[in-house]
Amino acid sequence: MTHSLPQTEGLDESVLVERAKSGETAAFTELVRRYDKKIFRMAKQITQSDEDAEDVLQEALFKAYKHLDDFQGNSKFYTWIVRIAVNEALMKLRKRKSDRTVSLDEEIDTGEETVTREIAVWDGDPEQRYSQEELRVILDNAIQSLKPSFRTVFVLRDVEELSTEETADTLGLSIPAVKSRLLRARLELREKLTRMFKKKGEDAFAYL
Amino acid sequence: MLTCKDLLSELNTFLDDTADPNLRQELQRHVNECPNCWVIVDTTQKTLKVYKGMQAQEIPPGIESRVMKALERKIAADKASSGA
């Protein structure tokens, strides 16, 4: 276990960036410690593997250190480092044999009509009906079933809450491509979750 | 009059509130009148809500300290080699 030096704790991010740039290792580690959990979670959601997510985190943090001088400070540090981590995560996916087809800019049919077959209201609030753990398994399974190109856009936009522009920039996609993938991802997830959460039987159309 | 297909293709601008006011009004009218689209909008909103509400998963024990140790080691090695 390593400890950050007391004088780096609670410091403003811009101060930490400056100190890190001037070569203060403790300032850099304090800086990345603030985001490592978020980066790990994002990497895990894209790669769907603890092991790959650990590699991604480690490689992304070291790359950030090596390229710290490129960080201009006109975007948030998190946006900058998450971009590095997403690229590492995508490289992981591409390296996997089973995912050889991973291409983010392939032409894809985003046909919305095909993913709106399940039209039923939900039976109460899933956050009340399921434990945190049960809910996490359901949500992870649904995300896992998306194609990587939809999954990645969804994770960046709706989980990490990057803007459309930041997501497009990070993934090297056009803004319309981000928008169409996000729509498809949202609709697919809605479809899958509705299958789990819908009211069963006669109540299914209780809204009519 | 907007169709269900129009609503579907504008779903994101509707949910993210980025549609221009006139379009938004038209979409809202359609949602109010079309039970299927109302359900689609409602369940998509709930889908986003559960994902946003998902608590950040803890890094499995050991990973964070392993990563930070490795990082400090790599930085030290990097400094040693560039300082030499």
Side-chain angles (χ1 to χ4, degrees):
Chain A
M1 191 65 202
T2 51
H3 298 277
S4 27
L5 297 174
Q7 63 265 34
T8 59
E9 275 172 17
L11 275 182
D12 204 57
E13 187 167 291
S14 56
V15 177
L16 285 177
V17 170
E18 279 318 305
R19 286 203 190 176
K21 278 189 175 182
S22 69
E24 201 182 305
T25 307
F28 181 74
T29 52
E30 166 65 18
L31 193 56
V32 297
R33 206 183 284 278
R34 294 183 181 183
Y35 301 112
D36 61 358
K37 290 181 183 66
K38 281 187 83 174
I39 295 172
F40 180 83
R41 177 179 69 157
M42 184 278 300
K44 167 95 187 274
Q45 275 170 339
I46 294 177
T47 62
Q48 297 292 318
S49 143
D50 273 353
E51 201 183 319
D52 283 347
E54 179 174 351
D55 286 352
V56 166
L57 176 61
Q58 193 170 312
E59 282 154 24
L61 296 186
F62 188 63
K63 268 201 182 151
Y65 166 78
K66 288 292 277 182
H67 297 281
L68 198 56
D69 282 340
D70 297 342
F71 175 63
Q72 301 297 335
N74 41 19
S75 61
K76 279 181 283 186
F77 182 75
Y78 176 67
T79 313
W80 181 74
I81 199 167
V82 89
R83 191 172 300 174
I84 297 175
V86 169
N87 285 321
E88 291 295 322
L90 293 175
M91 268 197 278
K92 277 272 174 223
L93 284 185
R94 292 196 185 100
K95 273 184 201 157
R96 270 193 224 152
K97 266 194 177 157
S98 58
D99 270 323
R100 257 207 314 244
T101 52
V102 174
S103 164
L104 280 174
D105 48 11
E106 65 190 310
E107 269 310 307
I108 39 156
D109 170 24
T110 51
E112 292 84 28
E113 307 79 36
T114 59
V115 284
T116 48
R117 278 176 293 226
E118 198 71 71
I119 299 180
V121 287
W122 287 8
D123 190 7
D125 181 355
E127 282 156 323
Q128 306 291 323
R129 279 179 63 204
Y130 295 88
S131 72
Q132 268 290 325
E133 212 31 60
E134 289 168 325
L135 193 57
R136 184 188 301 284
V137 171
I138 293 171
L139 298 183
D140 280 352
N141 284 342
I143 265 199
Q144 195 158 4
S145 67
L146 296 181
K147 283 177 68 167
S149 58
F150 297 138
R151 192 198 299 153
T152 307
V153 169
F154 179 80
V155 168
L156 293 188
R157 282 284 288 114
D158 282 338
V159 182
E160 300 303 323
E161 301 188 329
L162 265 61
S163 70
T164 303
E165 290 73 18
E166 286 167 341
T167 305
D169 204 21
T170 303
L171 301 175
L173 288 172
S174 68
I175 285 176
V178 169
K179 288 183 174 171
S180 65
R181 281 159 176 73
L182 181 64
L183 179 58
R184 175 66 185 243
R186 285 176 170 182
L187 287 174
E188 276 195 39
L189 292 174
R190 186 209 71 85
E191 184 88 1
K192 287 169 206 300
L193 294 192
T194 297
R195 270 179 225 145
M196 297 295 302
F197 299 150
K198 70 180 171 184
K199 281 197 172 157
K200 308 289 193 291
E202 286 174 12
D203 281 351
F205 294 97
Y207 64 90
L208 283 174
Chain B
M1 274 302 278
L2 291 184
T3 63
C4 299
K5 209 171 149 67
D6 295 329
L7 185 275
L8 218 46
S9 65
E10 291 296 334
L11 184 64
N12 279 351
T13 62
F14 185 71
L15 291 175
D16 300 340
D17 211 2
T18 50
D20 75 66
N22 285 341
L23 178 60
R24 181 164 177 90
Q25 217 173 7
E26 293 276 300
L27 293 168
Q28 186 64 58
R29 190 175 309 141
H30 179 84
V31 171
N32 293 345
E33 290 167 0
C34 175
N36 282 354
C37 286
W38 185 86
V39 172
I40 297 276
V41 167
D42 177 64
T43 50
T44 310
Q45 266 167 343
K46 285 177 175 160
T47 297
L48 298 183
K49 185 172 163 279
V50 289
Y51 275 104
K52 285 190 205 296
M54 190 167 60
Q55 280 171 16
Q57 201 166 8
E58 284 298 307
I59 295 188
I63 289 189
E64 186 180 25
S65 61
R66 203 152 66 219
V67 166
M68 294 308 284
K69 265 187 197 147
L71 179 69
E72 284 171 1
R73 218 164 39 232
K74 280 170 115 172
I75 290 177
D78 185 70
K79 279 189 170 172
S81 69
S82 62

